[in-house]
Every structure is written in C-alpha cells, then in structure tokens.
Amino acid sequence: MKILDHIAQEIAEKTTAILGYPISITDKEGYIIGSTDRSRLGIFHRPSLEVLHKNSMVNCEMEEENKILPGVSVPLMFNNKAIGVLGIVGEPAEVETYVQLVKSQVEMMCQEAFRKEMLDLESKMIEVFVQQMILESRDNPERILQFARTLGYNLDLYRACILIDVNVPSMDLLDQKSSEEQYDKFSLSFFQREVLDYLSLIFRESKDDIISAVSMERFIVIKSMKTERESGIFVSGLESKWNKLNKFLQSKYQMSAWISIGNTKKGVDGIAESYRNAAKAMAVGKGTVRDANIIHYNDWLITLELLPKELSPDLQKKLMTIIQPLIEQDNYDVLSSTFLTYCKYSMNLSETARNMYIHRNTIIYRLEKISECTGLVTSNFEHCLLLYMAIRYYGKK
C-alpha cells in the first residue's frame, strides 16, 4: 500500500521519540521503508516475510550478518489485509508489552492518511468539475452533465455562485514569515484544505451544494436552491456566515475575506453566467463599494459600477469623443470629481458646495468650464447622464 510508503519514516521517528525504542517498518516485500536508524532504509528484512506469511507476531534474534536486530515484529493490517510489518527493536520480553499498542496506533494513522488522500482526491475531482462548468460550459455541456451525474449533483436546480476571496499574503511575504511560529506549519495545500472544510461547515446545507477552490486565494460555493425566491432568504443570512468565516481566518491565519454573489440561474450555462457575474461584482466591489465585504451582483451600486464596462465598443467610442476635450484640460481631475459630486447630490449646487467645502460660485465656474469643453448643458439631466457615463468609462479604462 503506497500510503504506508509515504508515512512510514515519519511514523518511525515520531513513535521512537515517544516510546524510547527504535522502530522499523517494512513493506510487503520485506524491505525497510521506515526506520529510526535511517542507514537501514532499503535493507531487506527477512523475518518480515515470516510475519506476513504467518500473519502473527514473530520474535527476532540478532543476526549481524543479515543486519537483523533483536526485537518483535507484527503485521500491519488495512481493510483486513496485511500491508507491511512493524518492528520494535529491543529485548523481546521488554518490547512485546508495547507492540500491540504501537501496531494499533500505526494502523489508525494509515486509516487517517487514507481518509485524507480520498478527501484530497475528491476535492481535486470537484475542482476539475467546477473549472469545466465555469470556464468551459459551452464547449461540451453533455460531458459536464455526465461528470455531474458521476459526482451525484443535480444541475437542474436553481443555483447562485458565491465567491470567497481571501487576502492571502504573497509568496515573498510567506517566505519572510516562515521563521515565525504562526507560519512554521503554513502550507498552501493545508490552508486550502482547512478553508474548504470550514466553508463546508457553514455553507453546506444540501448534498447538491458544491464547494471548491478556484485558485490559491479564491473559493467558490455553488449554492443549490429549490426556488428563485430562496436566494433572497440565503442572502439575508450571509452576513452571519461572513462574520464566522472572518473570525476563523483571523484567528488561524490573520487574514480576512470578501464575498460576492452572482445571480440565481438554472443549468450549466446558468452556473457559468452566475460565476461570471459574481467575478465582475467582486472585481468592482472591492475597490469602489465602501465598507462592503459582501458584494451582490444585483445591487444597484454594483450595476452602476459595471455599466460603463458593459457598453458596446461603438458607444464607448462616442463617449470618448464627448469627453476628449475635457480630458485635455490640465485640471481634468478637479473638473471631473466636481461633476461626479454634483451628480451624487442630485445636481443640487448648494449641496455640492457644502459637501466639497467650497463656495457655490466655484462649483458654477467649474460646471461652466465643463459645458464649454463638451458642449453639454450641466443643468440638463440627459446631458449629465451622458457625461457621467463618459467620465466613469474613462476612469475604468
């Protein structure tokens, strides 16, 4: 069993540190794969074959010529099959007391290692499945549906994609912190496993909920829902889940997270669309929606931020034509920020002046300068709408 090969040396060293007696572990062919004395690794241990043949404990006597040490050897079992042999070096009468206890512990460690390997394999399968759904749904939808059936997921349900972005430090920063106690055991695979386990704990409410890593710092929950209306109920309880997640991340890794939610859709194409929209919301929400840690694609503020990016190329060119004379002004930043504030306060000159802490006449002067450059009337709502979109589009380029 390959799992034993992977953990045998670690078991030997840790067990010796606790027990005080040297340990050796051999594979099914009788070769030592784990030993307190590393120089014995790879040596053929003839008594191990006798142990496997008898499927019972064997006392070993010292044989210098064959590099056999005195002690006791017992078979290691996994799913009722012998996978190797555990040996404790010492006087048989002394070490025989401990051998069954150590055997049970080693077998438990093999079971746990196997369980983790299966979980990792399942996670990788789900990760591949999710990548196909969100990035390749149009290429071969039938293959994705078959994959879903294999994993036991029903894709005909309503679903919403929830993205979780964790502010993972850069690899350079991790290298700098590797000597600190909290980063001594930090590994990206372990970190991902822990985050996935915690996300499952707080988000999984149905066997059809799909939870996976997308990248090192991004995770996804593809939430299943019986009806489209159910998404509103889920969103209302999302802040509580975000609080729990951030407490976990802060206490374990001194990190925090943002959450974005796509729209609720059905089918493979619907999941891909929900993911794209959640990703768009995350991209604009992080930098523009103040104090927002939960970003919803359907939020009108997010729609407003996305709108300039969603315009057709022809409209984008027209907007640039409108704004170009204004861009060429040396004080463009001042003029554009004044205009955006003017729009924010419902085209009210007095409110704009009060919130910018400048005189009302200064606002009027700047708006007149904008009108002079663009030919648009800043007291006209339709003209302001065009100019607003032009400035926002230019700022997003």
Side-chain angles (χ1 to χ4, degrees), residues 105-119:
Q105 185 64 28
V106 172
E107 288 171 348
M108 285 175 58
M109 291 174 76
C110 288
Q111 290 281 358
E112 180 61 17
F114 179 76
R115 186 188 72 84
K116 286 182 178 177
E117 192 170 284
M118 290 301 98
L119 284 174

Side-chain angles (χ1 to χ4, degrees), residues 50 259 366 377:
E50 184 183 351
I259 291 178
R366 291 177 183 175
V377 180

Side-chain angles (χ1 to χ4, degrees), residues 329-374:
Q329 299 299 307
D330 292 337
N331 60 343
Y332 168 77
D333 289 342
V334 172
L335 295 175
S336 60
S337 64
T338 299
F339 178 76
L340 292 177
T341 307
Y342 172 67
C343 292
K344 179 180 178 180
Y345 291 102
S346 306
M347 300 166 63
N348 185 306
L349 290 169
S350 299
E351 282 295 309
T352 305
R354 183 159 44 251
N355 281 277
M356 292 189 73
Y357 303 102
I358 56 179
H359 197 277
R360 188 174 184 272
N361 288 344
T362 304
I363 301 294
I364 293 172
Y365 169 78
R366 291 177 183 175
L367 293 177
E368 286 177 348
K369 183 67 176 176
I370 290 170
S371 294
E372 179 186 323
C373 291
T374 62

